[in-house]
Amino acid sequence: MALLVLSAGEEAVSQPALKNVYSGRFLIGAAVNSRQFSGEDKRGAALVMAQFNSITPENNLKWQLIHPQPGKYDFDAADRYVEFGEKNGMVIIGHTLVWHNQTPRWVFEDSTGKPVDRETLLKRMHDHILTVVGRYKGKIKGWDVVNEALNEDGSLRETPWLKIIGEEYLVKAYQFAHEADPDAQLYYNDYSLENAPKREGAIRLIKNLQSAGVHVAAVGTQGHYKMDWPRLDQVDSTIDAFSKLGVKVNITELDIDVVPATQVNRGADLSVNSYHMVKEDVYANGLPDSVQTELANRYEGLFTVFVKHAGEVGRVTFWGVTDGDSWLNWRGRVNYPLLFDRNGKPKPAFDAVVKAGRTR
Ligand code: GLA
C-alpha cells in the first residue's frame, strides 16, 4: 500500500469532522478572516474546509471595511469570502448590517460634523443594505441585520441609530434587508442574552419586529463565554425562551475566555492597563493541563445542551478557527478559547465536542 504523506494542512483532514459529527442536528460554522478565505493561511483554510459547513466573515462585511466612505464600496475581500463559501458548498452568513461599532463616523454626520437628520440616516441605511445585501442575493443565506441593540438591563442601547432615527430603525433595517433579498434569513444578534434582564429585552425586541410583520428567522446568541459564565441551565432556558417565539436559535460567536478577568476597570490610562495586562496574562507560557481539561469539560457541557435542543438550534459558529486567530488575544494576552491550538492541532476541547456529538 502506498504511503500517504500529509502536509501540515492536510493533516487536519484525518481528524473526525465536526460538520459530520453534528450533521442532521445543526450546522457547525467558523468565523473566517481574509487570510483564511484567500488561502494565504493554507493550514487555516484546510481546517475550515475539513471541519465546518458554514462560515461568517470575522470583519469583511462590516460597514467600515465594505463601505468606508460615502459612495465608496470595497467589495474585493467580501467577494472572495463568498466565493470561498460557494466553492466549498458552505452555508454563507452575512455579518453585520446595522451596528454601532466598526461603522464609520461619517454615516451619522454631515460634512460639518453635525448629526444628520432622520431622513438622511434612513436613506444611508437603505442604500447600504440594498447595495450590500443585493450584491450577494441568493448567495448569502442569512444576515445579522442588527447587532447588539440592547443594554444589559434590556433597554435599547443609545446608539446613533436610535438617537437619530428612533426605535423604528429596527423595523426599517429588517424591511430594507427583506426588500434587498426576500429569500434571505434575517437574524437579530447579541451577547449576554443568557442574563435574564437582557434576554427579556431581546424577547420584547423580537415581538415588536414580529408585530410589525418582520419575519425573524433566528436569534443569534453570540456565545462569548467564560469558564464560569453562563451556567448551563441559563443556556438551556435561553434557548427555550427564544424558541417559544417561533424563531431558531443560532450560537453565532462561540469562544471561551480562559484568562481570568482583571478586577480593575479598564480606563484610557495605558500605563495602568499595561501594568495590569502583565499581571493578568497568567497563561502566557502555556495552558496548564488542569485548565485544558476544565475547558474541555466546559465545551462538552455546552454541546450537551445544544444537542438536547438540536431541533431548535440551527447553527453553532465558533468565533475563529485556531487559538492564535482569536480576538481574545487582545493586547498581547495569550488566550486559548477555541478547539484548535496555535499549530492547528485539535485540543482536548475538540475531542470533548466530538464526544458530545456522538452521544445519542
Ligand atoms: C462582537 C461582534 C463581532 C466581533 C466580536 C469580537 O461580538 O458581533 O463581530 O467584533 O464582537 O471581536
Side-chain angles (χ1 to χ4, degrees):
M1 208 171 107
L3 189 67
L4 186 62
V5 182
L6 295 171
S7 73
E10 287 165 333
E11 223 173 283
V13 182
S14 63
Q15 301 299 326
L18 295 174
K19 63 182 176 188
N20 297 334
V21 172
Y22 282 90
S23 101
R25 287 200 169 115
F26 39 76
L27 297 169
I28 299 283
V32 290
N33 60 40
S34 57
R35 295 185 61 251
Q36 291 155 343
F37 61 72
S38 68
E40 191 187 321
D41 172 6
K42 287 203 175 52
R43 190 186 63 204
L47 265 178
V48 176
M49 290 187 273
Q51 292 289 334
F52 302 96
N53 48 17
S54 175
I55 48 172
T56 302
E58 190 174 358
N59 285 303
N60 298 88
L61 283 171
K62 290 175 180 171
W63 197 311
Q64 75 179 13
L65 291 180
I66 205 164
H67 191 179
Q69 286 162 32
K72 182 180 177 293
Y73 287 88
D74 182 354
F75 291 117
D76 284 359
D79 284 356
R80 271 183 283 130
Y81 161 73
V82 171
E83 275 160 28
F84 177 85
E86 286 196 303
K87 205 169 100 199
N88 293 294
M90 293 163 163
V91 173
I92 307 168
I93 304 301
H95 172 83
T96 179
L97 297 168
V98 174
W99 192 23
H100 56 283
N101 275 330
Q102 294 186 264
T103 303
R105 279 175 58 174
W106 67 259
V107 175
F108 309 109
E109 293 177 352
D110 65 17
S111 54
T112 68
K114 295 215 185 66
V116 288
D117 62 21
R118 185 174 189 276
E119 290 316 307
T120 305
L121 188 55
L122 274 171
K123 184 172 181 320
R124 286 183 183 173
M125 185 204 262
H126 184 255
D127 288 352
H128 178 83
I129 293 178
L130 270 278
T131 305
V132 177
V133 176
R135 185 175 180 93
Y136 303 111
K137 186 176 173 186
K139 297 181 172 180
I140 288 188
K141 168 98 177 173
W143 281 94
D144 291 336
V145 178
V146 177
N147 199 31
E148 304 180 348
L150 294 165
N151 291 313
E152 294 307 292
D153 68 359
S155 60
L156 286 182
R157 196 193 277 265
E158 280 276 311
T159 64
W161 296 110
L162 182 70
K163 278 192 242 169
I164 297 173
I165 300 176
E167 227 178 297
E168 210 196 351
Y169 90 86
L170 292 157
V171 171
K172 287 290 184 195
Y174 287 84
Q175 286 173 342
F176 296 160
H178 184 68
E179 180 189 343
D181 184 355
D183 294 326
Q185 296 185 345
L186 308 182
Y187 314 128
Y188 175 70
N189 196 52
D190 211 330
Y191 61 88
S192 293
L193 299 178
E194 294 76 7
N195 293 338
K198 194 161 182 180
R199 180 166 69 225
E200 290 307 316
I203 291 171
R204 284 194 296 276
L205 188 154
I206 300 302
K207 284 186 172 167
N208 285 340
L209 289 172
Q210 290 175 329
S211 54
V214 171
H215 179 72
V216 179
V219 171
T221 63
Q222 291 184 359
H224 292 299
Y225 292 154
K226 313 264 183 219
M227 294 294 251
D228 57 358
W229 178 89
R231 297 184 317 268
L232 296 184
D233 66 280
Q234 291 175 285
V235 176
D236 185 77
S237 58
T238 302
I239 298 173
D240 274 336
F242 290 126
S243 303
K244 287 202 184 104
L245 303 175
V247 302
K248 286 263 183 195
V249 180
N250 294 332
I251 316 319
T252 53
E253 306 186 14
L254 184 59
D255 51 24
I256 299 174
D257 187 350
V258 300
V259 177
T262 173
Q263 296 303 308
V264 179
N265 208 359
R266 274 166 204 293
D269 185 342
L270 283 178
S271 60
V272 172
N273 276 344
S274 46
Y275 169 72
H276 286 287
M277 277 305 310
V278 174
K279 276 195 82 177
E280 82 185 56
D281 198 12
V282 285
Y283 303 134
N285 298 318
L287 195 64
D289 287 349
S290 60
V291 186
Q292 194 76 262
T293 305
E294 267 178 64
L295 178 68
N297 292 341
R298 177 81 172 129
Y299 264 116
E300 187 175 342
L302 286 167
F303 272 81
T304 303
V305 177
F306 302 152
V307 165
K308 175 186 161 197
H309 289 283
E312 293 111 63
V313 173
R315 165 169 58 91
V316 178
T317 291
F318 292 86
W319 203 248
V321 180
T322 74
D323 284 341
D325 307 318
S326 172
W327 72 295
L328 290 169
N329 299 306
W330 45 262
R331 295 208 188 173
R333 283 188 340 165
V334 184
N335 218 324
Y336 304 82
L338 296 164
L339 304 187
F340 298 94
D341 71 14
R342 285 172 165 72
N343 297 316
K345 294 267 182 294
K347 294 157 61 178
F350 173 87
D351 300 331
V353 171
V354 169
K355 184 172 159 218
R358 286 188 170 155
T359 310
R360 297 282 149 182

